Amino acid sequence: MVDTFTPKRIEIDGKAFLYVPNTLVEKSGFGETNTRVQVSGRSVVVVTSENLETQFSEISFDIMMVDSDSDSDPIVLIEGWKSSNGTHILNLIPDGAGQSRLYRNASLMNDPTFQHSSDGVISLTWNAAKVTRTNSN
């Protein structure tokens, strides 16, 4: 049986946002592994190493333009997130039992487009430190 992670809500800096189902994409930040071959005479040794430059997370999802849980103007929120990159915390809280996925030192990477309609969405792409798991609330 495969246990899939479905977040009930996404919090940015402790504030919950309605996100559009099926838009969440995660790269956990475990990094890439490099493999090289070392040859000495007739013997060959495979040497692996971790590429530390690739050990960062990437999280993408869409939030609702009109968010009943948020009383802030989306443009003001985006401006605040962009002006303090590297300081944000994203918390993906599961639906049911399980551990939350916590991303620290997050930066908003894209320049979001605002779709002004009753069902408009804002697409966000974040980079952060490697994911950690915490006990959910």
Side-chain angles (χ1 to χ4, degrees):
M1 179 174 156
V2 176
D3 183 24
T4 60
F5 178 83
T6 305
K8 172 175 58 176
R9 70 180 188 271
I10 295 176
E11 292 180 353
I12 303 171
D13 297 331
K15 187 173 190 168
F17 289 86
L18 294 176
Y19 81 100
V20 179
N22 301 320
T23 63
L24 177 64
V25 178
E26 294 177 90
K27 181 177 84 170
S28 298
F30 298 117
E32 296 175 1
T33 301
N34 297 327
T35 305
R36 300 196 188 277
V37 175
Q38 182 178 8
V39 179
S40 178
R42 295 188 66 122
S43 64
V44 176
V45 178
V46 176
V47 179
T48 59
S49 64
E50 293 182 37
N51 184 347
L52 300 179
E53 292 180 349
T54 62
Q55 290 187 351
F56 63 91
S57 299
E58 184 172 292
I59 311 97
S60 299
F61 54 89
D62 294 348
I63 60 173
M64 300 301 296
M65 181 78 174
V66 178
D67 187 343
S68 60
D69 291 346
S70 173
D71 56 0
S72 299
D73 179 349
I75 293 176
V76 172
L77 284 171
I78 300 297
E79 182 180 38
W81 292 335
K82 291 297 278 186
S83 69
S84 56
N85 273 329
T87 64
H88 304 290
I89 297 173
L90 277 61
N91 195 5
L92 283 52
I93 300 168
D95 187 11
Q99 293 184 320
S100 294
R101 294 183 183 175
L102 188 66
Y103 294 95
R104 298 179 191 276
N105 306 109
S107 296
L108 182 60
M109 301 307 293
N110 66 321
D111 187 4
T113 302
F114 299 92
Q115 178 183 3
H116 295 280
S117 68
S118 61
D119 59 349
V121 298
I122 305 169
S123 297
L124 305 175
T125 300
W126 298 81
N127 281 0
K130 182 169 44 175
V131 66
T132 56
R133 288 164 195 68
T134 61
N135 291 328
S136 55
N137 299 337

